[in-house]
């Protein structure tokens, strides 16, 4: 399996060179656009140019993760088209190289790229994305998230509903209100605290507490300088809100999804993200298979430039379908597995059809 023939080493070297050249070009282009987008925030609350550049630099692993499959398609297509133009593919086929053998060589390249995607997506992207968001939040004195509500962030914790006005990147909560219900669903108490700070391993220290306790038809108010709050909510769960589900690690996704399930909340978005994290690296296999027919069509399809244009269009279509099916899956409550795998499945069918057509010709 790991022993390579001379032609395999040659093909893999040419394909890797083309893929990483395309990847470098795409990363440079997208990073430039990201920097242009960040320029609009420079000057707000002390946000400086060097901080914007640092933010864009920390976003690069995320770009690498998203762009490798597209670069695999365009780079493989370019390399095979160039080899076909020089009749090298024709010579290999005349020497007895079957389509299956050539496809297996491409799959070796795709397998290494899939491993790279998985490592980048699990080891680099969650960390760099979180650091980038925390750095920007601190620079602009912003809160972590407010979930689109003017009242702040709402979290369900067992039989309690928690309202947080502001959650800062240093794991401090401001303006905390806790509505606690009993087993019958009746409101038991309302606790207000000006601030909460996390104390490892598992509780919060509330400051300036006002607790209203409801007892039948009566109520009483307790005022305390401080109080402990034991909760399943922790800084790790709150920091999830700073990172898009697609940029989180599998561990973080599983942990947050379990928390939502335990509190009987919707999990479709995070379940789709889990399946996408598992399936997305395998998209490189589909991309190189889709590029292979172009290596056989040097006399039937236009020049290399036309094939590169077709590759760019297909890559953009795959990128768009990836986001489209994820959003449609959330809106229409489609099965998470189907929503995550549909784009790759469609492109796999297209690759299979094109290979069948080429072999028949």
């Amino acid at each position: 399996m790991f022993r390579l023939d001379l032609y395999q080493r040659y093909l893999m070297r040419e394909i890797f060179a083309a893929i990483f050249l395309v990847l470098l070009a795409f990363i440079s282009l997208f990073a430039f656009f990201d920097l242009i987008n960040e320029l609009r925030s420079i000057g707000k609350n002390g946000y400086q140019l060097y901080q914007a550049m640092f933010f864009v630099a920390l976003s690069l692993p995320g770009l690498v993760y998203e762009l490798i499959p597209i670069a695999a398609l365009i780079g493989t297509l370019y390399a095979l088209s160039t080899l076909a133009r020089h009749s090298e593919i024709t010579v290999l086929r005349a020497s007895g190289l079957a389509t299956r053998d050539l496809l297996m060589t491409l799959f070796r390249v795709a397998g290494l790229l899939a491993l790279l995607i998985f490592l980048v997506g699990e080891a680099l992207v969650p960390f760099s994305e979180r650091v980038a968001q925390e750095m920007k939040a601190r620079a602009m004195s912003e809160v972590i998230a407010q979930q689109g509500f003017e009242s702040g962030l709402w979290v369900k914790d067992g039989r309690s509903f928690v309202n947080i006005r502001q959650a800062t990147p240093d794991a401090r909560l401001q303006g905390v209100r806790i509505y606690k219900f009993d087993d019958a669903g009746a409101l038991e108490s309302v606790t207000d605290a000006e601030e909460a700070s996390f104390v490892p391993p598992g509780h919060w220290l509330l400051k300036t507490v006002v607790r209203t306790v409801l007892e039948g038809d009566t109520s009483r108010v307790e005022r305390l300088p401080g109080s402990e709050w034991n909760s399943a909510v922790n800084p790790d769960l709150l920091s999830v809100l700073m990172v898009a589900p697609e940029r989180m690690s599998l561990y973080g996704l599983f942990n947050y999804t379990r928390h939502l399930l335990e509190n009987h909340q919707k999990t479709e978005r995070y379940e789709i993200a889990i399946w996408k994290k598992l399936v997305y690296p395998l998209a490189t296999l589909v991309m190189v298979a889709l590029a292979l027919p172009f290596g056989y069509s040097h006399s039937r399809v236009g020049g290399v430039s036309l094939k590169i244009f077709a590759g760019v269009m297909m890559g953009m279509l795959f990128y768009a379908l990836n986001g489209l099916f994820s959003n449609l899956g959330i809106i229409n409550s489609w099965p998470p597995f189907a929503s995550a795998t549909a784009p790759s499945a469609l492109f796999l069918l297209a690759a299979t059809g094109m290979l069948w057509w080429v072999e028949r010709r």
Side-chain angles (χ1 to χ4, degrees), residues 113-130:
L113 292 175
L115 179 61
L116 177 61
I117 291 176
F118 183 80
L119 293 176
V120 171
E122 289 301 301
L124 289 180
V125 173
F127 173 77
S128 64
E129 189 73 13
R130 182 174 299 176

Side-chain angles (χ1 to χ4, degrees), residues 306-352:
L306 180 59
K307 297 175 185 178
I308 296 302
F309 176 76
V312 171
M313 292 297 100
M314 287 188 294
M316 297 304 294
L317 178 61
F318 176 77
Y319 184 85
L321 287 178
N322 234 6
L324 175 63
F325 275 89
S326 295
N327 293 327
L328 289 177
I330 296 172
I331 294 172
N332 299 313
S333 299
W334 290 350
F337 178 77
S339 301
T341 59
S344 297
L346 290 174
F347 273 67
L348 180 60
L349 288 175
T352 303

Side-chain angles (χ1 to χ4, degrees), residues 3-4 10 16 21 30 39 63 85 91 97 120 163 190 198 207 236 239 245 247 257 303-304 332 348 360:
R3 187 169 147 278
L4 299 176
Y10 175 70
F16 271 125
L21 180 63
F30 277 75
L39 292 179
L63 290 177
R85 188 182 62 179
V91 171
L97 181 66
V120 171
N163 175 229
V190 179
F198 188 70
K207 300 179 180 178
D236 289 336
S239 64
R247 300 289 181 92
T257 302
V304 175
N332 299 313
L348 180 60
R360 282 188 55 112

Side-chain angles (χ1 to χ4, degrees), residues 118-298:
F118 183 80
L119 293 176
V120 171
E122 289 301 301
L124 289 180
V125 173
F127 173 77
S128 64
E129 189 73 13
R130 182 174 299 176
V131 171
Q133 296 296 338
E134 288 179 355
M135 183 275 298
K136 186 173 182 179
R138 287 194 181 97
M140 301 187 69
S141 301
E142 292 181 344
V143 301
I144 285 179
Q146 292 192 355
Q147 292 294 88
F149 297 108
E150 292 183 2
S151 57
L153 172 68
W154 287 89
V155 182
K156 188 174 184 293
D157 178 30
R159 293 196 301 270
S160 299
F161 287 88
V162 184
N163 175 229
I164 303 169
R165 294 292 300 181
Q166 293 184 347
T168 61
D170 55 356
R172 286 186 301 107
L173 310 179
Q174 298 175 357
V176 180
R177 175 170 289 181
I178 306 167
Y179 298 87
K180 186 176 180 181
F181 293 81
D182 59 20
D183 294 335
L187 184 61
E188 189 176 275
S189 66
V190 179
T191 302
D192 287 280
E194 288 187 2
E195 186 176 308
S197 55
F198 188 70
V199 180
H203 70 272
W204 296 85
L205 180 61
L206 304 178
K207 300 179 180 178
T208 315
V209 179
V210 177
R211 179 178 292 115
T212 303
V213 181
L214 304 178
E215 299 173 334
D217 296 331
T218 63
S219 64
R220 57 185 172 84
V221 178
E222 301 175 352
R223 300 181 184 274
L224 305 169
S227 175
E228 286 189 2
W229 172 39
N230 295 311
S231 171
V233 178
N234 56 52
D236 289 336
L237 287 176
L238 292 174
S239 64
V240 162
L241 300 173
M242 299 184 67
V243 181
E246 293 75 17
R247 300 289 181 92
M248 292 166 58
S249 66
L250 281 172
Y251 174 78
L253 284 169
F254 280 123
N255 189 37
Y256 193 63
T257 302
R258 185 173 63 250
H259 171 78
L260 294 178
L261 286 172
E262 290 173 351
N263 288 278
H264 308 288
Q265 295 178 274
K266 291 185 176 181
T267 60
E268 286 87 352
R269 183 184 182 190
Y270 295 92
E271 290 180 2
I272 291 174
I274 289 173
W275 281 111
K276 286 183 69 173
K277 293 283 288 187
L278 294 172
V279 172
Y280 195 68
L282 302 180
T284 55
L285 300 173
V286 178
M287 293 298 146
V288 298
L290 189 62
L292 179 57
F294 289 89
Y296 289 169
S297 58
H298 60 286

